[in-house]
Amino acid sequence: MCGIVGAIARRNVAKILLEGLSRLEYRGYDSSGVAINNLDGVSSHRAVGKVQALRDKFAVEPLDGKIGIAHTRWATHGKPTEANAHPHFSGDDLALVHNGIIENHEPLRRELKAKGYEFKSETDTEVIVHLIHDALKTEPDLLKAVQNTLTKLHGAFAIGVVKNDENDRFIAARKGSPLVVGVGIEENFVASDQLALLHVTDQFIFLEEGDVVELTRDQVTIFDDNGEVQERPISVFNHNVDATDKGEFRHYMMKEIYEQPKVISACLDGRISETKVLTSCFGAESGFLKDIENVHIVACGTSYHAGMVAKYWIEDLAGLPCSVEVASEYRYRKVAVPKNTLFLTLSQSGETADTLAALRMAKELGYLTTLAICNVPSSTLVRESALTLLTNAGPEIGVASTKAFTTQLTALLITSVAIAVENGLSAEKEQELVQAMRSLPAYVSDALSQDAHIKVVADRFANKHNALFLGRGTMFPIALEGSLKLKEISYIHAEAYPAGELKHGPLALVDEDMPIIALVPHNDMLDKLKSNLQEVAARGGELYVFADKDTDLNNEENITFTEVPKVDSILEPIVHTIPLQLLSYHVAVVKGTDVDQPRNLAKSVTVE
Ligand code: AGP
């Protein structure tokens, strides 16, 4: 939700900022802007639409200066218009960019209006810049004026501030929204995500909650929320920079779908031996596994669907109760925590506001411990959880989550087996499961080989307005994930139901215009699912079945059959995910939507 970049250098920072914004577009892309401080004052460009619209403005009228801030927006308060785009100004000499939400913006706005401030936008952000301007009247030092202002704000923020007579520094701060400092040689930077700065540095400092930072060309000084100077460690980024290139693919999403065999291997690497799950992957404190009596999983969106699959695994393999809940619900209710409950969060980004709030709440509720399964090692979620299992999927740029989901499932499978081993799973069964996991990357590759066939099937969805996904058992959360993927990127309304629920209502929707996507695993539910399909066929529904050939569904009339490799049932949810990702991708391409940056969405949801 919004991305910010800031830079101070001995060279013109315009190109650095624009490149940073392009790399942050995944966080929001309805409008963008840049403010650059040069010896003549602070000048800016803002534009509605993607960062390219801003680049076009720079092409006509370049801005030149050695200090600047920039922003790409995902609208919360006020429509995506140029007036609402950041940077926001107070007067023409003080500019600010902001990621987050200021919850008390209304009383602050009233207060500022009473003092004579005029508002030019509908945003919550504009109050911050006027408050700093007001604070400067009694405290002329910009750093101190910012620090004083932040104490008045409720909500979440990461900000960058420039002022026209400050030619040797700019100020940034974070609380509740991510912000990282990039350390260069005679130049320093800030950004919402280190990916935004990989073209200028690989050295990063992760700011803590409440930190305010003063950046000059030669120095980065960090103050905590008590105003005390703090030393924070520098980390060196070790991802392959090429991971952010599209390579031979037309879209990041397709590249990320095809990366899955490789990243699932990376997720398994070092976590399983030939016969066992290696509990050392949970760190030195893996002793917690034997004490777990319950598991609470909390997450959002796609990550929540991964959690739903894990409930089946944990209850089946370990025999322990497991509940799964969306973070935005969990955080606002009174939760009963049974003795010795593991609190497990799932997040690709590790910055999702609701998941972070749920974790912070859980830490006060007496859980056994907190474990984060996450893809971003430097994220807030990882830093604030007692234990971490990284998914090792590498940067995921496409807004629609693909490889992050299947690696979450892989990490959850490792976790489920590890918990089960402490609860009586036999060594023989553990070995069987580990052998299955070792074959997972190859099966995922097999599933990808259906790509050309699925592309043809996708053509038939181009004119559809609705779709229904069905699954039973672990295939139900996969049906939910398939329907989320389809609606996210193709804008086709899709719903998912446990197949047994069909006759309790949704069957009324079925007619010749309703495609039904059925996920048919080869297990003891097969015959029951076949009956559900008969119910659909009898009502003229158009059936798209994803199953292995031994189900014998490939020869049925009125069924469009897509083959999925036959695998151990524990792997079915992961392997069945692949064709659904491909289906939604190809449908979106046929419909001509913006696959990597679908409308109204953002990759990292750092606001409530
Ligand atoms: C999935 O395609 C979506 N982008 C979205 O549902 C996402 O999974 C959700 O916002 C949670 O994000 P997280 O995994 O980074 O916490």
Side-chain angles (χ1 to χ4, degrees):
M1 312 269 107
C2 303
I4 67 177
V5 198
I8 179 163
R10 295 195 192 283
R11 51 180 166 153
N12 181 12
V13 294
K15 262 194 186 164
I16 298 172
L17 296 174
L18 286 170
E19 175 60 24
L21 286 187
S22 293
R23 289 164 178 249
L24 284 181
E25 245 186 350
Y26 74 87
R27 298 179 66 87
Y29 34 81
D30 60 43
S31 52
S32 60
V34 167
I36 291 196
N37 191 12
N38 50 41
L39 296 175
D40 302 328
V42 181
S43 12
S44 84
H45 282 319
R46 295 183 293 178
V48 174
K50 295 204 171 182
V51 174
Q52 186 54 46
L54 188 67
R55 287 183 185 276
D56 293 344
K57 285 203 169 177
F58 270 82
V60 177
E61 192 188 338
L63 298 181
D64 193 339
K66 293 171 183 163
I67 306 181
I69 51 176
H71 187 270
T72 180
R73 181 166 185 249
W74 184 84
T76 58
H77 297 67
K79 288 189 174 151
T81 60
E82 201 167 308
N84 288 333
H86 301 215
H88 290 288
F89 279 75
S90 191
D92 51 12
D93 60 344
L94 182 71
L96 173 136
V97 288
H98 166 225
N99 164 213
I101 287 183
I102 303 304
E103 288 168 1
N104 57 336
H105 71 102
E106 280 172 1
L108 292 172
R109 183 181 276 252
R110 281 196 295 275
E111 234 172 76
L112 287 160
K113 278 186 173 171
K115 286 184 174 179
Y117 282 96
E118 275 179 31
F119 282 77
K120 296 187 176 124
S121 76
E122 304 155 278
T123 64
D124 54 334
T125 300
E126 199 180 345
V127 300
I128 316 176
V129 70
H130 291 315
L131 282 173
I132 297 172
H133 187 276
D134 193 41
L136 282 165
K137 290 175 190 160
T138 47
E139 175 47 78
D141 179 68
L142 180 62
L143 170 67
K144 288 192 183 138
V146 170
Q147 284 170 317
N148 293 346
T149 299
L150 298 186
T151 60
K152 297 184 178 155
L153 305 179
H154 301 166
F157 55 79
I159 59 166
V161 188
V162 295
K163 188 164 179 295
N164 72 336
D165 56 359
E166 297 274 359
N167 288 309
D168 294 310
R169 67 172 178 171
F170 76 100
I171 309 295
R174 75 155 286 198
K175 189 177 164 201
S177 300
L179 195 67
V180 60
V181 172
V183 181
I185 297 166
E186 298 190 338
E187 52 189 22
N188 289 305
F189 316 91
V190 290
S192 302
D193 182 334
Q194 54 191 352
L195 291 179
L197 298 174
L198 287 179
H199 56 303
V200 281
T201 185
D202 62 357
Q203 313 236 341
F204 296 97
I205 300 172
F206 294 95
L207 296 176
E208 309 250 321
E209 286 291 275
D211 279 353
V212 178
V213 56
E214 178 189 59
L215 296 106
T216 67
R217 291 178 182 83
D218 300 310
Q219 209 168 334
V220 172
T221 313
I222 298 168
F223 303 85
D224 66 14
D225 51 5
N226 294 316
E228 305 289 333
V229 174
Q230 295 294 338
E231 288 292 324
R232 307 259 184 247
I234 295 184
S235 331
V236 179
F237 184 85
N238 61 10
H239 274 309
N240 178 357
V241 177
D242 287 339
T244 60
D245 286 344
K246 271 188 248 177
E248 69 196 77
F249 295 94
R250 186 168 156 199
H251 298 101
Y252 282 112
M253 182 181 176
M254 197 53 151
K255 174 188 176 237
E256 288 158 4
I257 289 173
Y258 268 84
E259 278 175 349
Q260 289 176 109
K262 188 178 82 188
V263 296
I264 287 171
S265 287
C267 184
L268 290 168
D269 195 26
R271 276 100 185 248
I272 53 172
S273 70
E274 292 285 324
T275 55
K276 287 184 161 313
V277 164
L278 304 171
T279 52
S280 55
C281 65
F282 298 101
E285 295 166 48
S286 60
F288 75 99
L289 288 166
K290 69 176 181 341
D291 297 327
I292 300 171
E293 291 178 32
N294 285 278
V295 182
H296 280 183
I297 300 179
V298 172
C300 302
T302 288
S303 297
Y304 168 68
H305 297 154
M308 287 178 75
V309 175
K311 176 183 166 72
Y312 287 89
W313 288 338
I314 290 169
E315 298 210 348
D316 180 17
L317 299 173
L320 296 184
C322 174
S323 67
V324 191
E325 191 166 351
V326 288
S328 54
E329 288 298 316
Y330 176 91
R331 65 181 287 194
Y332 288 117
R333 71 180 185 89
K334 206 163 168 195
V335 181
V337 183
K339 196 166 126 270
N340 288 329
T341 301
L342 170 69
F343 185 78
L344 200 169
T345 52
L346 297 166
S347 176
Q348 184 285 128
S349 63
E351 301 295 350
T352 301
D354 285 322
T355 310
L356 281 173
L359 170 66
R360 288 169 188 154
M361 179 174 124
K363 283 163 89 172
E364 307 297 317
L365 292 180
Y367 281 92
L368 174 67
T369 190
T370 57
L371 168 66
I373 291 184
C374 187
N375 192 35
V376 181
S378 54
S379 63
T380 311
L381 193 76
V382 167
R383 282 181 282 130
E384 293 191 11
S385 298
L387 302 160
T388 304
L389 188 60
L390 294 174
T391 47
N392 295 342
E396 188 180 68
I397 309 290
V399 165
S401 196
T402 52
K403 62 176 181 170
F405 178 65
T406 49
T407 52
Q408 277 173 346
L409 288 174
T410 307
L412 282 164
L413 186 50
I414 293 167
T415 308
S416 306
V417 175
I419 297 172
V421 167
E422 298 292 345
N423 283 277
L425 189 82
S426 69
E428 199 184 356
K429 183 70 182 169
E430 182 183 11
Q431 180 168 356
E432 187 189 312
L433 291 166
V434 166
Q435 289 303 327
M437 286 187 226
R438 296 176 77 83
S439 60
L440 184 55
Y443 284 127
V444 169
S445 291
D446 277 2
L448 285 167
S449 69
Q450 289 299 313
D451 190 12
H453 161 77
I454 293 169
K455 193 172 174 194
V456 174
V457 173
D459 283 341
R460 293 168 56 183
F461 281 71
N463 300 321
K464 301 291 179 197
H465 299 290
N466 300 288
L468 198 55
F469 286 70
L470 299 177
R472 276 178 175 267
T474 54
M475 289 297 135
F476 169 51
I478 301 307
L480 281 168
E481 175 57 12
S483 72
L484 177 66
K485 281 295 84 89
L486 189 69
K487 59 189 145 196
E488 262 185 311
I489 60 168
S490 73
Y491 316 148
I492 292 176
H493 171 238
E495 302 223 32
Y497 277 92
E501 276 290 293
L502 199 58
K503 56 190 167 297
H504 298 292
L507 201 54
L509 294 170
V510 173
D511 62 15
E512 53 285 357
D513 290 327
M514 175 67 89
I516 316 283
I517 295 103
L519 312 182
V520 184
H522 201 152
N523 59 24
D524 48 10
M525 300 305 282
L526 178 60
D527 289 337
K528 290 197 185 304
L529 221 139
K530 281 183 172 174
S531 307
N532 300 140
L533 298 185
Q534 291 306 323
E535 293 160 11
V536 171
R539 281 140 188 104
E542 203 178 317
L543 274 170
Y544 295 84
V545 168
F546 292 78
D548 70 65
K549 272 193 178 151
D550 293 354
T551 57
D552 269 347
L553 286 160
N554 47 327
N555 299 319
E556 297 271 335
E557 268 183 39
N558 304 327
I559 284 184
T560 303
F561 183 84
T562 299
E563 187 179 353
V564 182
K566 188 172 180 193
V567 294
D568 188 300
S569 66
I570 202 80
L571 303 183
E572 279 176 337
I574 304 177
V575 175
H576 267 79
T577 298
I578 311 300
L580 300 187
Q581 296 170 342
L582 290 168
L583 179 69
S584 45
Y585 173 80
H586 288 300
V587 174
V589 170
V590 172
K591 293 198 72 178
T593 57
D594 191 339
V595 172
D596 285 330
Q597 295 179 331
R599 69 187 181 198
N600 305 339
L601 300 181
K603 183 71 183 163
S604 191
V605 186
T606 56
V607 294
E608 271 199 75

